[in-house]
């Protein structure tokens, strides 16, 4: 009888762990979906961070992989960014660093982004979602 009790306890524990993992996975999926919406529909990250072809269409397979900035300021600005870096997969930041950047406008080294990058001040939930989405694009 003891062995059946142990098997039942082990099976119950496994069920609870797998249910918890499924919930975490579903939560992460919802977070990433929110981040996708913020990146493509609100922040328009793709406009600068994704290259376009000669027709102005986004180049397939290079979504958020970095791109030259296709416009210039009409007045002199110091330190204008000539290219938007790759942000798919967050190659230069951890997810936590990206959240802080999106909340404060400060890069991990304490510097500010060069124009035309806005110094976003997202709330914690939106910054977390956007960072999760960008991280999900990595390999």
């Amino acid at each position: 009888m003891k062995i059946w009790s142990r098997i039942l306890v082990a099976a119950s524990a496994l069920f609870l762990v797998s249910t918890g993992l499924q919930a975490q996975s579903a939560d992460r999926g919802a977070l990433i979906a929110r981040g996708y919406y913020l990146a493509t529909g609100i922040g328009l990250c793709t406009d600068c961070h994704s290259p376009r072809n000669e027709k102005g269409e986004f180049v397939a397979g290079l979504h958020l992989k970095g791109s030259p900035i296709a416009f210039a300021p009409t007045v002199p600005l110091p330190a204008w960014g000539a290219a938007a870096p790759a942000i798919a997969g967050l190659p230069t930041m951890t997810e936590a660093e990206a959240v802080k950047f999106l909340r404060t406008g400060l890069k991990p080294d304490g510097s500010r982004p060069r124009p035309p990058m806005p110094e976003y001040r997202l709330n914690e939930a939106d910054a977390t979602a956007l960072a999760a989405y960008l991280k999900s694009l990595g390999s």
Side-chain angles (χ1 to χ4, degrees), residues 6-135:
R6 289 182 184 171
I7 291 172
L8 183 58
V9 167
S12 297
L14 183 60
F15 173 76
L16 291 174
V17 167
S18 69
T19 302
L21 291 175
Q22 288 173 356
Q24 287 176 353
S25 179
D27 290 346
R28 182 76 176 170
L31 189 66
I32 290 169
R34 171 86 177 144
Y36 170 80
Y37 164 72
L38 291 168
T40 60
I42 302 298
L44 303 174
C45 305
T46 51
D47 283 3
C48 292
H49 292 273
S50 299
R52 296 174 185 260
N53 64 21
E54 61 281 347
K55 294 180 184 177
E57 302 161 333
F58 290 114
V59 178
L62 297 179
H63 179 69
L64 299 173
K65 299 282 187 174
S67 178
I69 300 292
F71 55 92
T74 57
V75 296
L77 287 177
W80 179 262
I87 56 174
L90 296 175
T92 64
M93 294 184 199
T94 66
E95 202 166 326
E97 288 171 335
V99 170
K100 183 177 179 184
F101 172 68
L102 292 166
R103 296 202 69 219
T104 66
L106 296 174
K107 297 190 294 187
D109 67 2
S111 67
R112 299 192 181 280
R114 293 185 298 167
M117 176 67 185
E119 292 181 22
Y120 286 112
R121 299 293 193 280
L122 301 181
N123 65 38
E124 180 81 23
D126 287 346
T128 300
L130 184 50
Y133 167 66
L134 294 174
K135 189 65 169 179

